[in-house]
Amino acid sequence: MRKPAVTSVPIAPILTERWSPRAYDESAVVTPDQVRALLEAARWAPSFGNTQPARYLVGVRGTPSFDAILATLNSGNRAWAHRASLLLIGVMVTTNEKGSVPYAEYGLGLASENLVLQAVELGLIAHQMAGFSPDAVQAAFSLPEDAVPKVAIAVGSPAAAEVLEEDWRIEREKADRARLPLEEFAFTEQWGKPAL
């Protein structure tokens, strides 16, 4: 199911096509080359001073890593994410040989957006999630203290919304996308004065 963004002017198609579906085809697979492309896209994201704070835990469906990541998700996310072909945890590394890494969370965010946009380019779908237990990830993957899990990401192929089974989930999947208008998003001269 496609739900391209309705924009005030044309923007790059890869951006209009990106959204966060929950209906995944549980029979679809991601290839090793697709996984590599997703991670390569993330690896080339910008970061403060080229500190590269982003790291990813990778679980392909059918592997122990997938099961371990799935187990860290909250019940609402597990209800649909088990159908994804790939689950990842985005981790920010907060220190390096120079000390504390500035803007580590921002760097992980940029890398994760690159990963998600690469998924769109590959004809896949991706959904980023905050609903997981960082402590469970720390324990399951033996992360060092300076490696902080910040986001879970499901990747796979789309399915009909009806795979979500519950009416409220199906309706949410089919609902129109919405964003604040530009007048409430970008300001000039003073807060609240629209730039456009």
Side-chain angles (χ1 to χ4, degrees), residues 15-50:
L15 299 175
T16 63
E17 292 294 329
R18 189 224 57 81
W19 67 293
S20 300
R22 294 174 178 87
Y24 283 79
D25 179 350
E26 62 188 331
S27 67
V29 298
V30 290
T31 67
D33 284 347
Q34 288 174 320
V35 175
R36 181 174 292 275
L38 295 169
L39 296 170
E40 198 62 55
R43 187 171 76 98
W44 282 97
S47 63
F48 177 86
N50 199 29

Side-chain angles (χ1 to χ4, degrees), residues 27 33 56 111 182 196:
S27 67
D33 284 347
Y56 292 89
L182 282 177
L196 300 171

Side-chain angles (χ1 to χ4, degrees), residues 107-158:
L108 175 61
L110 291 168
S112 295
E113 181 67 358
N114 270 20
L115 187 152
V116 166
L117 291 175
Q118 183 63 39
V120 174
E121 179 69 17
L122 294 171
L124 301 170
I125 57 174
H127 187 110
Q128 299 176 73
M129 301 167 270
F132 74 101
S133 169
D135 291 340
V137 171
Q138 290 271 4
F141 290 91
S142 303
L143 300 187
E145 197 172 300
D146 68 342
V148 182
K150 295 301 288 185
V151 64
I153 306 171
V155 179
S157 295

